Amino acid sequence: MTPPTPPAGDPNGERAAQPDGEGAALPPPNWLAADDQPESLLPDDLPGPQESGPHPVSPPQGPPAPEPFPYAQQIPEPPKPVDPFPYAQQIPDTPTPSAPEPFPYAQQIPETRRSSDPFPYAQEIPDNKPQAPEPFPYAQQIPQGGLARGPQPDAANRTITDHTIADQPSGFPYAQQIPGTTPPIGAGVQPVAPPPVIDEPWRAGGKSTKGAKRGVKKPLFIGLAGLVVVVIAAGGGFFLLTGDGKDGAGESVTVGDKVFPAGQLSAQDGRARRLTGVDAVGTTVVAVGGEDSRGWFLVSTDSGRTFAPAAVHDTDGDEPGPGEMPNLIAGSSRGWVAIGTRPGGGTVWTSAEGREWRRQPDPAGNQFGAKSHVKRLISTDSGFVAVGETSARGDFRDSVPAVWTSADGSRWEEHSGGHLGLPIRKGTVSLYDAAASGSTLLLEGIHTVDAKHAGRKIWRSTNGGKSWTESVVPVPKGTRGLVVGGGPTGFVALREVTDGGKTYAQAFLSKDGGSWTKAGVLQTPGYRFTTRIAGSDKGFAALVARGRDLLVSRSADGRTWQDGGTLDTPDGRSANGFALSSDQPVLVGQDAHGGPAALLAAWDGSGTRLPADPARVPGLVRPDRSVAAVDASAGKVVAVGSAGGDAAVWTGSDGRTWAKAKGVPTRSGPQRLQSVVSGKAGWLAVGSDQNSPRRPLVLTSADGNAWQAADSAAPFQPARNTALATYSAAAGPKGYVIVGEDGLSGAVWFSPDLKSWQRGRSTGDDGLIARPNSNRWLRDAASTPNGFVAVGGVRDPKIGQGPAARPGVWTSPDGTQWTLQRLPVPSGLADGSLTSVAARDSSLVALGTGVGSTGPAPVGYVSSDGGKSWRESRPPLPQGARDFQLTALTATPKGFVATGITGRAGTRDVIVWTSATGADWKLATAPSALRGTGDQEVDGLTVLDDSVLGVGSSVTQKAEQPLLWSRPVG
């Protein structure tokens, strides 16, 4: 059917204007998808919007999520499950009778929603199929007070956005919970704060029968931050660093890919990758995005033919920290700017030529923190301009339009609300895009007069945003939509036109952004709509959505248009950024299936696809390789973790050479083993996968060489819409226990023989099961002569000024009946919980991390009677230590050894403690290879012969490798 015809004289080309001539109901802009629309004015014969894909379990909420198809109206309804990588305007499939009409011609007023995507605001290619679950969703959130290490997936920190607008303010935009209501399951809102993230999705280590325990690890985004090898030999090998007396006699550190062979990797390698922004200046192209929570800057000096990683430095010249993620980028002949996020707020990077970047001090990014949403970043002759909205309250129910301007990219000035000076007499405005030519700046936005009247408008400024006038692009009969782009020669605007059942784009040109003239027509088979326009000294390029592909249409002057390349649009492909380098278009985005993988496409001037591919850029993509835990027994050593997104097990006999074990099951979705123990019936390894809902991963082996899954047993099946997680295991004379979580409650499983399993139970009514407004979490376990001990944390309703979270210890004589004992929070700390426990006969040591006035600090207790009574014993920190986190603990024939990390993300070093009794901790000198450039970490410990063996990772900006550490027991 043909779209409604706008009334004559309507300057915005949409429905009837208000008496003041401002505003009309209209289709949303082309970078907006239909989930942002509130009320339906559709005739009965038009289909409604598509349903979204599956929702991850309890994700943190993020900025507004659009539906894949614009131009459809709908009646408001409760938020729907969101796709794992929302905020994208999908490229439409060919419609089918059973699917919603992919390009319905109805007018609508947008609204806003929130989503859980860590890299939101991509423009997704529409299809009619749900997307795969996010490979590393946030199943666990940090409890208030924060006990998790590294950047956390806080929705408030993901505020820098691209190309998606929050058009129509609603009563509760951005999926804020309505007061007095109960949030839906999976909405990411809990009645109490959930347990701490322990390396979400899985950067926690394991525990041995000797008491080895890996600790929390920085989150994988979806999680893992970027780091690199401390020592790498030529040819991809490794160096063996042996103690020289200064680092400790007999100690060795081995780092490299060959230490723990990956074997054949699966198609989904366990890392979430995406490119979110791109810009070009001459022949220089820079694209930004990231891998998990490691930021990417990709630079090309030949218009997108070849790319290489740019050099990136933190404010002090060190390695960039995890979680520092660039999302938007703009370049000019005077320099480059990128805007993104860091843990706790926004951040800004600058570069003179695009090849070397430095993050600016935190004040430069404070403008772009939790109370701001930036939707577009561009350059002008006078500097840089960011466009979006701000919220004084922070929940965006009071959002106002905002423009930020900067002459150099490091100092920004905000103009928002009434101070912005847009010529609007009444109603509200939501800005979503901008374009520039020379010193002239155009803003695009939605002006909403009331619930039934809204209009797309353009405002023009020639003095750097100090004052604005409205610019009216002609609206011929039968047109709708509007997209504008700028270049050195001026501006071009495209409107969709439907005539005789055919749809095409009509171009309008303007040299000054004030007056417009009709130009050429962009016609192509299957035309749906134009989503972006990019300009350069060679003209313009438009990105056009068609049936099953994206078309790049090129024009030197806006009068004649010709095809300049195509890109297929399979399910899950999204387009996030578009630029024109001379006459070569460049597009960035993401393929949600099988990774997800970053998308980088470029074409030469003739429309031939160039071989640009992030996977082929040396040193950029790092396949998942994680060694999280290790145990030794009877001359065999077993280490566990993940490789290429699958659970992985390695075996050896001497702790130096390793082979990949057989029979480890491969499943859909990323998986990671986190703990391994040996006992009388064989070996047990546990972890989690990331299906929805999250479920346990439990493997057993008689000899450590061949493994099989044991988690199909009924006790391991999660309840409906409830995450069930297994974190650690212990083995003793009475059998095996596994500890973890069941929603907000603690969970324990027991088996006497690795064949039959049963769930553990609480003694009394206070133990494993969470009471109202409370929760419990178990993180580690150990075997004692009296049974088993597990440690973790509890959070109960506050009594007076009591702590938000406190350490918890559970004891059991048989692995089935468990009694909770709450331990006091050490003096000087606001809260704390335990992550590791180790047993040496009847002596027990439990360690963890708390939060005090100066930041994270150790929490420690020792028991000499098998866990009946405890006294405080806190390991000391080195002088000047900061951002501490405990990572591993084990018992030895001579006492206990523990490891931790300290230092800002990107410069983390390993701390080593030793103790004869657990009550007299001493700092030991760590080898220099555990204190090198980048982040070093030891996540699992065990005893092999007369040595302590540790596994972990060593990561710098150039590489990421498994790490193996050995030191004599002493």
Side-chain angles (χ1 to χ4, degrees), residues 407-427:
D408 57 6
S410 61
R411 292 176 293 274
W412 292 83
E413 182 178 359
E414 178 184 306
H415 315 268
S416 59
H419 298 289
L420 183 54
L422 296 179
I424 296 297
R425 291 190 290 274
K426 62 180 180 180

Side-chain angles (χ1 to χ4, degrees), residues 55 77 163 197 364 408 465 484 559 637 720 814 922:
H55 196 300
E77 57 186 6
H163 312 313
V197 177
D408 57 6
V484 177
R559 293 178 172 83
V637 192
R720 181 179 178 84
D814 57 5
K922 298 178 181 179

